[in-house]
Amino acid sequence: MNRAGLKQIQQDLRLYLKSVQHSMIELINDDYADFVHLSSNLVSLQNAIDKIESDMNVSASNSVSTIWAEFESSTNDAVKTAERVESFCVELSHNRLSQVELRHRISFLSALQRLSDLMKSIPQTLSFLWLEKVSSCLVDASSYKEDLAKDSREYKMFTKLLERLETVLCDEGVRSASGDCASLPHVLSLLTLADCTESLTARLVSDLIYPRLVRPSKDHFEMLKAVFAGVKEMRTKWSDLLGSKYSGSIQAFLEQTLLTFLLTFIDKCMGTVAVPSNTSLFHRCFTAMQDFIDNWPSHAHSRTMLKAVRDKFNLVVYFKLVTHKLVRQVDSEMTPESLKFLDEELQRKDGLLCAVSSSILKTVETVWSEDVFLYPIADKLWDLTLRLLGKHLAWARALLEAAKRKETSGWGGVEPWRALLAARCDLQNLHSKIFDMALEELWPKLGDMGIDTSLFGQCLTRFGILVNEECTKIDEEISTLVSSALSK
C-alpha cells in the first residue's frame, strides 16, 4: 500500500482551502441583498421593542397613581373613624385605670375602717373569729399600701393602727407561747403579713424565755448547762403542743427565737467566759455549747445563728492563753547556754535527759489533753506541735554548732560530748513519744472530724528523717570529741 508523503498532503490541503474560500465568496455574492435586508429589519425591530417598553412604563405609572388616589379618597372616612375610635379607646383605658385605683382606694379605706372598729372592741381573749377578721383587713389594706405616699394621711393612719395591732398580737403571742400555743400560728401569720415578726421575737425573749430559763448563779458553767437544757425542753414542749403545725415558718421562727435568746444570754451573763480569763471554765463551757449545737436539729434556718452562738466564744484568745506560758518556757530553754539536765527521777519518768526536751513534750501533751483540746482549734494545735518539733531540732543543731566552735563555757561544766549525746538521745526519744501519742490520741481526734491523717503522718515521718540525719552528724562530732579527749 502506497502512502502519500507530507508534501503531497500539504498541497492537497491548500487546494481544498482555496476551494472553500471560493465557495464562501459565491454564497455571499448570491445572497447579499438578503443579508442587507435582514440587518435593516433587525434594527427596525429593536426600535419597535424600545417604543413598546416605554409606552408600557408610562401607562403603568399613570395607572398606579390613579388607583392609589382613588383608594385614598375611598378610605378617608374610614381612617378618620378609626382615629376617633382609637382616641376613645385611650380615654376609656385611662378611665378604667382610674376606676381600678379608686376601687382599691375605697377597699383600703374600708379595710382601715373595719380594722379601726376591731381595734376599738378588742376582746379579753382573742378568738379565732376576731383574728380572721383582722386577717381580712390586713390582706385588703396591704394590697394598696405600697401605692401610698409615705406622708399621706391614709398611710399615717394605717401605720398607727399597725402599731396598736402589733402590741395586741405580741401580747397574744407571748400568752399563747407560754400556754397551749393554740393561737400562735395565726398570730405569727398576721405579724408576718404586717412585717412585725421581730417584735414578737423580742417580746418572747424578754417576757417569756429569759425570765423562765435564766437563774443567776456564781457558777457560770452550771448556769449555762441549765440554760441549754431549758432551751431544749422549751423547744420540745412547743413541738409537742403544736404537733403537725410545728413545721415550716412556725418552726423556723420559734427555733430562731430560742437561738436569739441564747445570743442575748451569752452577751449578758457569759461575757467573762466567752472572752476567757479562766481557760478551764472556758473549755467546759465551750464543750457544753458544742454538744448543744451538735444535738440541735440541722435546718438551714438555724445554721447561721448556731454559728453566731459558737462565734461568741473567743477561741483565738483561749488558744493564746493556753499555749503562751508553755511556749515561753520552751523558748527560755532553747539556747545552748540554757542547757539543763533533768534529775534522775524526771529522767526515768519522761524518758528524756534535757529540760527543754521535757518542756516540749509536756507542752504537746498538755495542748492535746482532754482538758484543753477543742476540735475547732485542732489546726492551730497541730501547727504548734510541728513548730515545737522544729524548735527541738533547731536546739540540737545549735548545740552541735556550739560544740564545733568550742563555745561550751556556759554549759555548766558538762563535757561537750556528754551534752551532744544527751541531745541525740532526746531527739530520738522525743520523736518516738510524739509519734506514739499521735497514733493513740491525735489520730482518733482528727478521725472524729472526718480528716484523713495520712498527710499528718507524712509530716512526722519527714521529721523522723531529719532527726536521723542530725543524729548522724552528732555521732560524727561525738566521735571526734571523744577521740580528742582520749588522745590527751
Side-chain angles (χ1 to χ4, degrees):
M1 181 177 180
N2 295 328
R3 294 185 178 178
L6 291 175
K7 190 173 183 179
Q8 181 63 39
I9 294 173
Q10 184 180 16
Q11 291 177 356
D12 293 342
L13 289 174
R14 285 177 178 174
L15 291 174
Y16 182 71
L17 176 61
K18 289 180 179 181
S19 174
V20 171
Q21 289 176 344
H22 182 71
S23 298
M24 288 181 65
I25 291 171
E26 289 181 351
L27 177 63
I28 292 172
N29 290 333
D30 292 341
D31 299 327
Y32 180 76
D34 292 336
F35 278 112
V36 173
H37 183 67
L38 177 61
S39 176
S40 299
N41 289 340
L42 288 175
V43 172
S44 300
L45 178 61
Q46 181 63 43
N47 292 334
I49 291 173
D50 292 342
K51 185 176 184 305
I52 292 171
E53 182 179 6
S54 176
D55 293 342
M56 288 182 66
N57 289 337
V58 172
S59 176
S61 177
N62 293 335
S63 177
V64 170
S65 299
T66 302
I67 293 172
W68 182 252
E70 293 176 355
F71 175 76
E72 286 184 335
S73 176
S74 63
T75 58
N76 188 38
D77 293 339
V79 169
K80 291 181 179 179
T81 302
E83 290 175 349
R84 292 182 61 193
V85 170
E86 182 181 6
S87 175
F88 290 147
C89 288
V90 171
E91 184 178 356
L92 179 61
S93 177
H94 287 311
N95 291 338
R96 288 283 177 85
L97 291 175
S98 300
Q99 186 179 14
V100 170
E101 184 178 355
L102 286 174
R103 186 182 297 114
H104 287 168
R105 187 181 181 87
I106 292 171
S107 177
F108 175 77
L109 293 175
S110 175
L112 286 187
Q113 181 62 50
R114 287 184 284 121
L115 183 59
S116 177
D117 293 340
L118 288 171
M119 296 303 296
K120 291 178 182 178
S121 57
I122 301 174
Q124 291 184 349
T125 302
L126 300 185
S127 64
F128 284 101
L129 178 59
W130 190 87
L131 292 174
E132 284 291 344
K133 291 180 179 179
V134 171
S135 176
S136 176
C137 295
L138 284 179
V139 170
D140 291 342
S142 298
S143 61
Y144 187 72
K145 180 183 66 173
E146 300 300 328
D147 297 329
L148 291 174
K150 302 295 182 182
D151 57 348
S152 65
R153 183 181 178 186
E154 293 90 340
Y155 189 86
K156 293 178 181 179
M157 290 173 56
F158 182 60
T159 302
K160 288 183 178 180
L161 285 174
L162 277 186
E163 290 175 355
R164 292 178 57 195
L165 179 62
E166 178 183 340
T167 302
V168 172
L169 292 177
C170 286
D171 290 341
E172 175 62 18
V174 173
R175 186 203 65 78
S176 180
S178 61
D180 58 3
C181 296
S183 62
L184 187 58
H186 206 155
V187 168
L188 180 61
S189 64
L190 291 176
L191 287 171
T192 302
L193 190 60
D195 196 21
C196 302
T197 54
E198 294 84 359
S199 300
L200 181 57
T201 297
R203 288 286 304 278
L204 286 173
V205 170
S206 62
D207 297 355
L208 174 62
I209 305 175
Y210 200 95
R212 182 173 294 185
L213 299 186
V214 178
R215 295 289 180 268
S217 172
K218 293 183 179 180
D219 191 335
H220 288 82
F221 175 62
E222 293 299 329
M223 182 168 61
L224 182 64
K225 284 203 308 180
V227 166
F228 284 148
V231 168
K232 291 180 181 178
E233 181 181 351
M234 186 166 287
R235 180 188 178 280
T236 302
K237 176 187 174 183
W238 283 340
S239 177
D240 293 340
L241 289 173
L242 289 168
S244 60
K245 294 181 180 179
Y246 191 77
S247 60
S249 60
I250 184 68
Q251 179 183 4
F253 171 79
L254 291 176
E255 291 182 355
Q256 287 178 351
T257 298
L258 289 172
L259 295 178
T260 300
F261 155 72
L262 273 182
L263 292 171
T264 304
F265 166 73
I266 293 173
D267 285 337
K268 285 187 175 182
C269 303
M270 304 293 291
T272 57
V273 176
V275 181
S277 55
N278 183 334
T279 56
S280 176
L281 177 61
F282 179 92
H283 183 273
R284 287 183 291 147
C285 290
F286 187 89
T287 302
M289 181 272 301
Q290 191 65 51
D291 181 67
F292 170 82
I293 291 177
D294 291 341
N295 289 284
W296 190 262
S298 178
H299 296 294
H301 58 257
S302 300
R303 290 170 191 159
T304 301
M305 298 199 70
L306 288 173
K307 183 178 183 300
V309 170
R310 196 187 76 169
D311 290 345
K312 287 290 183 181
F313 289 79
N314 198 321
L315 289 167
V316 175
V317 174
Y318 170 74
F319 173 76
K320 290 181 178 179
L321 287 177
V322 166
T323 60
H324 177 68
K325 290 183 179 179
L326 297 171
V327 173
R328 189 171 60 180
Q329 176 66 27
V330 171
D331 290 340
S332 68
E333 299 171 344
M334 280 290 296
T335 60
E337 294 78 13
S338 303
L339 178 64
K340 180 181 178 182
F341 287 94
L342 299 173
D343 56 42
E344 292 184 1
E345 183 179 352
L346 288 176
Q347 288 180 4
R348 287 193 298 270
K349 178 182 177 182
D350 295 342
L352 300 169
L353 301 175
C354 300
V356 65
S357 304
S358 177
S359 297
I360 290 175
L361 179 61
K362 178 184 176 183
T363 300
V364 174
E365 290 177 340
T366 299
V367 298
W368 289 96
S369 66
E370 295 296 332
D371 295 335
V372 174
F373 172 78
L374 292 173
Y375 285 102
I377 59 171
D379 58 329
K380 296 181 182 296
L381 298 179
W382 178 251
D383 179 69
L384 175 64
T385 301
L386 294 182
R387 286 192 287 113
L388 289 173
L389 292 177
K391 285 177 180 288
H392 194 245
L393 189 60
W395 166 76
R397 287 172 177 167
L399 280 181
L400 178 59
E401 293 300 321
K404 288 181 178 180
R405 295 193 301 268
K406 302 186 183 305
E407 298 174 355
T408 60
S409 58
W411 291 10
V414 179
E415 294 175 296
W417 67 270
R418 291 183 182 275
L420 291 178
L421 191 60
R424 184 195 188 287
C425 180
D426 280 1
L427 277 176
Q428 293 282 4
N429 289 341
L430 181 64
H431 172 256
S432 177
K433 288 179 178 294
I434 296 296
F435 196 86
D436 291 342
M437 187 179 74
L439 292 176
E440 297 173 4
E441 300 179 29
L442 273 60
W443 290 178
K445 287 183 172 68
L446 297 177
D448 292 341
M449 302 170 65
I451 296 175
D452 182 8
T453 58
S454 58
L455 292 177
F456 296 84
Q458 291 176 17
C459 292
L460 294 182
T461 301
R462 174 59 181 165
F463 177 74
I465 294 173
L466 295 176
V467 166
N468 291 333
E469 292 175 353
E470 198 63 27
C471 287
T472 301
K473 296 177 183 178
I474 292 175
D475 289 342
E476 294 175 357
E477 183 63 20
I478 290 175
S479 298
T480 301
L481 292 173
V482 171
S483 298
S484 176
L486 292 176
S487 64
K488 291 182 180 179

